[in-house]
Amino acid sequence: MSCSFFNVYENGSVCMGTVNVDIKNSASVEEFIRAWENYFFNSRFSHLNHNPTNSNCVNLWKELVNTDKIFPKEILKKTNKTLKNILP
């Protein structure tokens, strides 16, 4: 299934915009992952590169933000890609 976040392209790459990536070469795997999660989830989600859902993705996120509602994964468009296909 496609990723339902803004700034994520259909091929899985991410537009980082003006995020200043500053990870030390000596970072552990855990520190590296934590840093990337922070960069991704605390950046501005400014544009939708493709619609990964069978609905209006913008309205969907507006309905879900600041609620305890679970993301309705059944609306995601199916894809034949796996993490193995998109990770280097």
Side-chain angles (χ1 to χ4, degrees), residues 40-73:
F40 183 81
F41 290 109
N42 291 311
S43 66
R44 289 193 163 278
F45 290 105
S46 60
H47 57 282
L48 188 61
N49 297 321
H50 76 287
N51 186 358
T53 70
N54 292 316
S55 69
N56 184 313
C57 197
V58 174
N59 287 339
L60 172 65
W61 279 114
K62 285 180 180 179
E63 291 172 14
L64 293 175
V65 72
N66 296 324
T67 72
D68 291 331
K69 293 180 183 177
I70 296 173
F71 186 92
K73 60 185 177 188

Side-chain angles (χ1 to χ4, degrees), residues 3-82:
C3 182
S4 59
F5 291 108
F6 286 45
N7 296 27
V8 177
Y9 293 94
E10 196 167 5
N11 69 359
S13 63
V14 177
C15 173
M16 296 302 289
T18 60
V19 172
N20 182 23
V21 177
D22 183 25
I23 302 174
K24 296 177 184 173
N25 288 338
S26 60
S28 67
V29 172
E30 292 82 5
E31 292 168 328
F32 181 84
I33 291 171
R34 197 169 24 253
W36 273 111
E37 287 175 345
N38 182 54
Y39 291 136
F40 183 81
F41 290 109
N42 291 311
S43 66
R44 289 193 163 278
F45 290 105
S46 60
H47 57 282
L48 188 61
N49 297 321
H50 76 287
N51 186 358
T53 70
N54 292 316
S55 69
N56 184 313
C57 197
V58 174
N59 287 339
L60 172 65
W61 279 114
K62 285 180 180 179
E63 291 172 14
L64 293 175
V65 72
N66 296 324
T67 72
D68 291 331
K69 293 180 183 177
I70 296 173
F71 186 92
K73 60 185 177 188
E74 64 277 358
I75 68 163
L76 291 174
K77 292 179 183 175
K78 297 215 181 276
T79 177
N80 60 356
K81 295 180 180 121
T82 65

